[in-house]
Amino acid sequence: MALVAEIRRTHRLNGPDREKLWKLSEMAARFPEAGAGAMSFLRQDLPPALRETLLDFAEGTSPHGHVLLRGLDVGDVPPTPAGGDTAALDGHPTDGTLTLVADLLGSLVGYQDEKSGALIHDVHPVPGEETRIENSGSVAFDFHTENVHHPLRPDFLGLLCLRRDHDGVAATRVASVREAIAHLTPEDVAALRRPVYHSAYPSSFTRDTAAGPPPLSGPHPVIFGDPDRAFLRFNSHHTRAADTRGTRALDALARALETVCQDIVLEPGDLVIVDNHVAAHGRSAFAPRYDGADRWLRRFYSLRSTPLWARRMMRRPRVIPRMADIRGVV
């Protein structure tokens, strides 16, 4: 069983599958906000081995909480942008690649509060934002589940590498709670299951709000679900406990995640997909040069099911409404 799990953790596309995916991606990129149903005919034509890998991972039973696809085509990549807002790759076939993968896992979504609802996020360093704990920074980014504050957190996220950093040291760090839990005491696990934690909104959701402390979500547990298939809601930068016992348990969790962490230095054409309820992820530090050749990833979010009430409130296809409109609903 260990060998099977290890094989399924990484899938490398062969030449014909790589070419087929690229052709499908070119077609999908022509319809940037088409609904998941409109893409179904393209998804059905994805290479069978790739479909099987993704559908198996989408079941949520992976103990590792991630799968790595290697050998994807990324086409011609322009210089890494210097600014935070860029349309350098609008309509690029990698838009189609990420849309097809996200829609096979669930449905590609964006958040109105984050990057104005963009569906594909460009992740690269921005001058002057080196210390920001978000995708424009270059300092270490500790373990977190994506959009920890949100009632409709992504079920999956993907990071596609277009270009690695100059020194080849920037690692995407992934750590599964299902592996980390073995390194926690029963008392720590019990403490982490209590709904006594609050998580602040991340800075990517508060860029356009008034100055002051960010809003808080919660109270919520950090670990939940069956003991043998645990789930995680945690951000080392934003999740805080209401008591000292909870704080000690958070410290123990951070150490346990570090113990089981896998550092993945992505190469161009690598796509790592993370189960956002099973694995926390982060990034090691790196030194940008702002010379057009800096590290550049592209990110997607995928949601298995969007509630009817949320879909009816969407102002744009696939874009989750503002937190101000839905806070407290779930």
Side-chain angles (χ1 to χ4, degrees), residues 213-299:
L216 298 176
S217 64
H220 64 81
V222 166
I223 290 178
F224 57 100
D226 293 339
D228 59 341
R229 288 189 180 177
F231 298 110
L232 182 68
R233 183 179 180 182
F234 169 68
N235 185 312
S236 60
H237 301 281
H238 298 296
T239 301
R240 297 291 180 266
D243 55 30
T244 55
R245 182 66 192 90
T247 299
R248 291 199 303 271
L250 285 178
D251 292 340
L253 173 63
R255 292 192 296 271
L257 291 171
E258 187 66 42
T259 298
V260 301
C261 173
Q262 294 189 45
D263 287 347
I264 306 170
V265 178
L266 298 173
E267 298 287 343
D270 286 350
L271 171 58
V272 62
I273 303 168
V274 179
D275 185 325
N276 195 44
H277 305 300
V278 174
H281 67 285
R283 178 196 65 225
S284 63
F286 64 100
R289 300 181 189 176
Y290 307 119
D291 59 356
D294 277 320
R295 182 178 189 256
W296 191 358
L297 311 182
R298 307 202 81 199
R299 179 176 68 191

Side-chain angles (χ1 to χ4, degrees), residues 72-123:
L72 281 70
D73 199 343
V74 297
D76 295 327
V77 179
T80 303
D85 297 317
T86 177
L89 289 181
D90 281 358
H92 192 266
T94 55
D95 284 348
T97 301
L98 297 181
T99 299
L100 290 171
V101 170
D103 279 354
L104 192 61
L105 296 167
S107 180
L108 176 73
V109 297
Y111 293 82
Q112 188 61 50
D113 290 320
E114 186 179 34
K115 303 182 187 304
S116 301
L119 298 178
I120 305 295
H121 302 167
D122 288 298
V123 180

Side-chain angles (χ1 to χ4, degrees), residues 17-330:
D17 285 356
R18 172 187 171 107
E19 292 177 10
K20 186 173 188 178
L21 176 59
W22 187 248
K23 290 179 180 178
L24 293 170
S25 298
E26 289 177 319
M27 288 187 279
R30 298 171 191 165
F31 311 100
E33 292 196 358
M39 294 289 177
S40 61
F41 74 100
L42 295 177
R43 294 197 305 276
Q44 291 300 320
D45 205 28
L46 286 170
L50 175 62
R51 280 179 52 83
E52 181 181 355
T53 296
L54 292 173
L55 291 174
D56 181 59
F57 182 69
E59 290 300 310
T61 58
S62 167
H64 316 297
H66 78 276
V67 64
L68 178 61
L69 308 181
R70 314 204 87 151
L72 281 70
D73 199 343
V74 297
D76 295 327
V77 179
T80 303
D85 297 317
T86 177
L89 289 181
D90 281 358
H92 192 266
T94 55
D95 284 348
T97 301
L98 297 181
T99 299
L100 290 171
V101 170
D103 279 354
L104 192 61
L105 296 167
S107 180
L108 176 73
V109 297
Y111 293 82
Q112 188 61 50
D113 290 320
E114 186 179 34
K115 303 182 187 304
S116 301
L119 298 178
I120 305 295
H121 302 167
D122 288 298
V123 180
H124 56 78
V126 174
E129 300 196 2
E130 290 81 2
T131 61
R132 289 190 74 94
I133 304 300
E134 54 181 283
N135 60 16
S136 60
S138 52
V139 294
F141 197 159
D142 288 339
F143 294 121
H144 62 286
T145 52
E146 202 72 19
N147 296 352
V148 65
H149 68 296
H150 208 286
L152 298 176
R153 300 180 297 284
D155 292 312
F156 305 99
L157 65 111
L159 292 165
L160 172 65
C161 180
L162 304 183
R163 179 175 289 130
R164 72 176 196 170
D165 66 294
H166 294 85
D167 301 314
V169 298
T172 298
R173 317 193 72 223
V174 186
S176 167
V177 68
R178 294 176 181 174
E179 296 173 331
I181 205 165
H183 300 273
L184 295 169
T185 67
E187 293 76 17
D188 284 332
V189 174
L192 291 165
R193 287 183 174 275
R194 298 178 302 148
V196 298
Y197 301 88
H198 289 83
S199 293
Y201 289 29
S203 58
S204 61
F205 272 74
T206 58
R207 277 180 174 259
D208 300 325
T209 60
L216 298 176
S217 64
H220 64 81
V222 166
I223 290 178
F224 57 100
D226 293 339
D228 59 341
R229 288 189 180 177
F231 298 110
L232 182 68
R233 183 179 180 182
F234 169 68
N235 185 312
S236 60
H237 301 281
H238 298 296
T239 301
R240 297 291 180 266
D243 55 30
T244 55
R245 182 66 192 90
T247 299
R248 291 199 303 271
L250 285 178
D251 292 340
L253 173 63
R255 292 192 296 271
L257 291 171
E258 187 66 42
T259 298
V260 301
C261 173
Q262 294 189 45
D263 287 347
I264 306 170
V265 178
L266 298 173
E267 298 287 343
D270 286 350
L271 171 58
V272 62
I273 303 168
V274 179
D275 185 325
N276 195 44
H277 305 300
V278 174
H281 67 285
R283 178 196 65 225
S284 63
F286 64 100
R289 300 181 189 176
Y290 307 119
D291 59 356
D294 277 320
R295 182 178 189 256
W296 191 358
L297 311 182
R298 307 202 81 199
R299 179 176 68 191
F300 73 75
Y301 297 143
S302 180
L303 198 60
R304 290 280 279 182
S305 178
T306 304
L308 177 62
W309 58 265
R311 294 202 304 271
R312 295 285 172 81
M313 293 174 65
M314 288 180 176
R315 299 177 183 177
R316 288 169 48 201
R318 298 180 179 267
V319 180
I320 303 298
R322 299 181 310 151
M323 280 295 294
D325 296 330
I326 66 174
R327 187 177 187 189
V329 173
V330 198

